[in-house]
Structure formats: C-alpha cells, structure tokens
Amino acid sequence: MKLVWTPETASKAYIDTVKSCELFQESGEAELLSAMAGGWNAKMIVEVYMHGGATTATSVGLAIAAAHTGGRHMCMVSDERSRLDYVKAMHAAGVSPAEVVVGGAEAAVVGLTDIDFLVVDGRPKDFSRVVRFAKLSHRGTVLVRRNASLRTMAGFRWGGVLGSTSRVVRSVVMPVGKGLDIAYVAYNCAPTYSQKGTSRWIRHIDQQSGEEHVIRG
C-alpha cells in the first residue's frame, strides 16, 4: 500500500481549519498543512518542537486533520513548561490537544512507528536527528520543515538526513509562513509514487496576502 490522495478530506480539513484559525493573525501555514495531512489521509501525524512550545495555529490545523482522518496526533516538546503552554493554548483555541511527549531528539520519536506526516521546526540544531531516528511509514511519508527560509538552514537537503530505507521522491520549498520545505518520501522497498496518472495538484491561497500557491502532490 501507499499514500493515496483524497481531495474530499483535504477540502474538509482546510475549511474547518480556516474557521478555527480566524483568531490567529498568521499566514496560511496552518490551513495548508491541515489540507495536506487530511488529503493524504495521514494516520500518524507527528509535530516536533524541541525548543519551546508549538505554534498554536499549526497545531490546531493538524489536530483538525487528524479528526477527519481518524488518525493519531502527537506533539513532541522539549520540557514540561512547553507541554503546559501547548495544552493551555490548544484548550483556549477550543481544540483538544494532541498526545504530548516531553524529551530530547531521540526520545521524541522512540516507540512511534508508521509516521506518515511529520512536521519539524527548522531552527533547532537537532531536528535532523529527529528525522533520522523517526520510523517512517512503509506507505510513504510527507515531511515538512518549518522556518525553511532561515539563512542558517541554507543548503539543506532531505537526502542528507534520511536513513538508507527511505528516498525522496519529490520536494518543494513554499513561501508560506517563514518558509515550508515539503518532501514526499517513499520506502525504498515500495513502488515509486511517480507513476503516470497518480499526481494531484494542491492549490492553496494565503489568507493574508491573497497569493496563490500550487504544488504537485
């Protein structure tokens, strides 16, 4: 089996996230990631924020996507204070918080298997280790690196942090929020997802600037 795009779920997750995130004065990052996680019918959604709490809008979007897919939503934070801040912010937004795990880079993903949607913060030095130790799904995984526009991350390549059992099928950097570096990763023993007729176009409109972004999924 492999990840299969479901536009109906993507649309529902996107619309619900737009409604829930109206109170956040931020970019359309939350809506885009929610639509992607919903569209790919992600069953194990993991967001990793090793230094400080999660960005609430993005977390709200991922929580909504998990509700639509019937999947599991996990959030990794570095300390107990971050966990409390995260839970408080999610409750304030009217959304049930994800399962929260407190710990370091390796501890954050230990015991988790079949991750098919992984969001990491591009700023922490140890985010590459998180990706390397993550047990990705045999169906394929969507990897998202936030804050991808930072100069400190210039020259980054997904292939340099993935293990030998995974390969990058395609990737794209989008000017949403502070930059999103998105990659579709296939399990090495699985068939390539680039077969004719399987591609889908994902259309996203930034709610603040009105800019339209289109990526091929």
Side-chain angles (χ1 to χ4, degrees):
M1 295 180 63
K2 61 187 176 183
L3 289 177
V4 177
W5 180 256
T6 52
E8 296 83 4
T9 310
S11 178
K12 291 177 181 178
Y14 181 89
I15 293 173
D16 286 349
T17 303
V18 169
K19 294 177 180 178
S20 297
C21 292
E22 287 179 348
L23 35 136
F24 297 107
Q25 300 299 316
E26 300 183 21
S27 70
E29 177 181 304
E31 293 87 348
L32 175 60
L33 295 185
S34 179
M36 291 188 67
W40 287 115
N41 197 30
K43 298 301 184 183
M44 175 61 85
I45 301 173
V46 178
E47 50 178 327
V48 183
Y49 298 89
M50 297 313 303
H51 295 271
T55 299
T56 307
T58 299
S59 299
V60 167
L62 294 177
I64 290 173
H68 280 290
T69 66
R72 187 179 179 189
H73 177 208
M74 306 286 296
C75 182
M76 312 299 179
V77 296
S78 58
D79 52 45
E80 182 62 18
R81 180 178 179 180
S82 295
R83 185 191 71 80
L84 293 174
D85 289 344
Y86 167 79
V87 172
K88 181 179 179 180
M90 292 294 279
H91 281 308
V95 177
S96 298
E99 300 175 58
V100 185
V101 177
V102 179
E106 292 90 346
V109 292
V110 67
L112 298 182
T113 59
D114 294 328
I115 299 173
D116 48 18
F117 202 91
L118 176 63
V119 179
V120 294
D121 193 333
R123 289 173 295 185
K125 296 180 180 179
D126 55 5
F127 95 95
S128 296
R129 295 164 61 198
V130 173
V131 176
R132 187 174 294 115
F133 283 96
K135 299 178 179 66
L136 307 183
S137 173
H138 288 196
R139 298 190 307 144
T141 303
V142 175
L143 301 176
V144 180
R145 180 172 65 94
R146 302 176 63 247
N147 298 297
S149 61
L150 296 182
R151 294 180 179 179
T152 55
M153 301 308 296
F156 169 80
R157 295 291 182 274
W158 285 109
V161 299
L162 291 170
S164 59
T165 58
S166 302
R167 59 184 173 80
V168 178
V169 176
R170 62 174 66 89
S171 64
V172 62
V173 177
M174 301 184 65
V176 179
K178 293 183 179 180
L180 294 176
D181 188 348
I182 304 170
Y184 175 80
V185 176
Y187 188 66
N188 260 342
C189 295
T192 303
Y193 186 70
S194 59
Q195 299 172 3
K196 184 178 180 180
T198 59
S199 295
R200 295 289 188 274
W201 289 98
I202 304 170
R203 180 172 174 266
H204 170 260
I205 298 177
D206 191 298
Q207 297 299 304
Q208 286 190 325
S209 67
E211 295 181 351
E212 179 178 334
H213 308 290
V214 181
I215 62 173
R216 200 168 189 173

